[in-house]
Amino acid sequence: MDPERSEPPESEFEILTSIRCGGIVDSCIENNDFGYHSLEKTKYYMFRYHRDRMLAAAQAFGWDKVAAMLRDDAGMEFIDRILESHINEKLGYQISETPLKLRLSITKDLATAVLPTQIPEMPVDNLFPNILPTTISNEVPRHWFIYLYPNAITPSLFTKHKTTRRSHYDQARGLISTFTAHRQRQQQPTPAPESETTDEDNTAMSIRPQQQTEVLLQNPEGEIMEGTFTTPYFFRDGKWVTPAERCGGNLGTTRRWALETGLCVEGIVRAEEVKDGELVWLSNGVRGWGWGKVELDCSAIGRVPS
């Protein structure tokens, strides 16, 4: 079973965060503010915000020993040592070679684990955007196909904080293959003969759904909470709006940065108001920002009868 997808026993779970490091982040001036002590820069994307989110989770769950270890600059040093040890000793890896996603988890008893994954490089503008365009040229390929999970998710500490208790996300993402198959049938109702199939057709049909799709979640009040692993941004009344904290979604690192820099504001986005084909920006602490469009025609097919 995939270690990122296995559901822990009811009494056991870990708090976690996924951090981008290496590549352009290592020399990115915009990332300098996220270090600690006298460091001029950090190789970890929005490093301090990742520590802060884990500290907030530990405090929310009453993990006093973990919270004490994560506080102040000593807490950042603690995380830095764990990551450096894994990269240097276990991977024998030079961090500047290729960007990595590092999934860091911590148990209530302070046991730690790091799961590394190589990831593509990203332009600085995708990591620290100055603006989020409201229109995108047709010549620019979209990053995401975005679906709406039709069933309500009840907010809890496990939706507000990132942990290994992820069944609510897995249920939503479990419908991606169904959504994608439906979308492809709608796009190509009459397949062309093999000899007439173009390279463009082949590209469209070979989309890797788990890597290029996101599912938006809604709470029982019909308010958008978040995506299954991204923060969404919707253009409303002349501003980019991300779901408010009270809606119950995860309080991610890039969401915090976007709010603090004025890139967006908090607000209520109702699921019933999300439009088919609507441009939505998404962000997270590994991929930065990317854009997509909503596929509402596909989203209704996964509803569980009430």
Side-chain angles (χ1 to χ4, degrees):
M1 184 176 290
D2 186 336
E4 284 207 71
R5 294 289 177 247
S6 58
E7 188 75 0
E10 184 66 25
S11 60
E12 299 177 8
F13 63 92
E14 302 164 22
I15 59 175
L16 61 87
T17 195
S18 293
I19 307 175
R20 181 185 189 93
C21 69
I24 198 169
V25 172
D26 202 26
S27 58
C28 183
I29 297 175
E30 292 84 351
N31 201 52
N32 286 353
D33 292 338
F34 296 95
Y36 62 98
H37 279 339
S38 60
L39 291 182
E40 295 182 358
K41 61 182 180 181
T42 173
K43 64 176 69 68
Y44 305 111
Y45 179 44
M46 298 191 180
F47 183 41
R48 180 162 38 86
Y49 286 2
H50 285 280
R51 186 286 308 272
D52 290 351
R53 82 183 304 189
M54 299 192 87
L55 174 59
Q59 292 170 330
F61 288 113
W63 291 9
D64 295 339
K65 184 164 62 172
V66 177
M69 185 64 72
L70 292 175
R71 287 192 184 98
D72 305 320
D73 282 344
M76 297 184 71
E77 291 180 13
F78 169 69
I79 295 175
D80 197 7
R81 285 197 305 271
I82 295 168
L83 298 178
E84 286 288 338
S85 173
H86 188 89
I87 293 168
N88 296 333
E89 297 176 16
K90 296 184 180 180
L91 295 181
Y93 193 81
Q94 294 298 317
I95 194 66
S96 60
E97 292 176 356
T98 303
L100 286 176
K101 168 188 172 182
L102 299 174
R103 178 184 180 273
L104 169 65
S105 60
I106 303 178
T107 71
K108 187 175 183 179
D109 296 321
L110 278 172
T112 62
V114 180
L115 181 65
T117 307
Q118 289 192 4
I119 54 177
E121 186 59 277
M122 297 288 288
V124 172
D125 288 346
N126 286 77
L127 300 178
F128 292 97
N130 293 318
I131 60 170
L132 300 179
T134 56
T135 58
I136 304 291
S137 167
N138 290 333
E139 298 178 359
V140 179
R142 74 163 107 175
H143 301 113
W144 300 93
F145 288 90
I146 303 171
Y147 304 114
L148 175 64
Y149 190 48
N151 306 311
I153 301 293
T154 301
S156 71
L157 287 179
F158 293 103
T159 62
K160 183 176 181 179
H161 300 284
K162 191 170 183 178
T163 74
T164 50
R165 185 72 55 75
R166 298 183 62 80
S167 60
H168 46 291
Y169 300 114
D170 296 340
Q171 290 167 9
R173 293 196 67 77
L175 288 174
I176 284 180
S177 59
T178 304
F179 292 154
T180 303
H182 181 75
R183 173 175 54 77
Q184 291 172 345
R185 286 195 299 270
Q186 293 296 99
Q187 290 177 340
Q188 298 185 337
T190 306
E194 183 175 350
S195 60
E196 297 179 16
T197 302
T198 66
D199 289 341
E200 183 177 355
D201 294 330
N202 285 329
T203 300
M205 295 302 290
S206 63
I207 289 172
R208 295 173 292 178
Q210 294 297 328
Q211 296 186 359
Q212 295 182 329
T213 56
E214 176 60 298
V215 183
L216 301 175
L217 307 180
Q218 58 180 304
N219 62 24
E221 286 69 46
E223 302 162 342
I224 299 296
M225 299 168 63
E226 58 175 327
T228 58
F229 59 92
T230 66
T231 295
Y233 306 86
F234 304 84
F235 197 67
R236 298 288 185 271
D237 299 324
K239 302 175 184 176
W240 286 103
V241 175
T242 196
E245 179 177 350
R246 77 163 184 82
C247 296
N250 198 272
L251 306 180
T253 56
T254 49
R255 176 187 185 275
R256 174 180 170 182
W257 182 84
L259 287 167
E260 290 182 355
T261 58
L263 198 64
C264 71
V265 297
E266 279 193 330
I268 304 301
V269 178
R270 299 195 59 80
E272 63 188 14
E273 297 171 352
V274 176
K275 298 180 177 61
D276 187 50
E278 179 175 352
L279 171 68
V280 175
W281 282 88
L282 302 173
S283 72
N284 71 18
V286 172
R287 302 175 184 229
W289 272 259
W291 70 278
K293 289 187 177 181
V294 177
E295 304 278 343
L296 277 188
D297 183 56
C298 305
S299 299
I301 62 177
R303 181 178 298 278
V304 174
S306 57

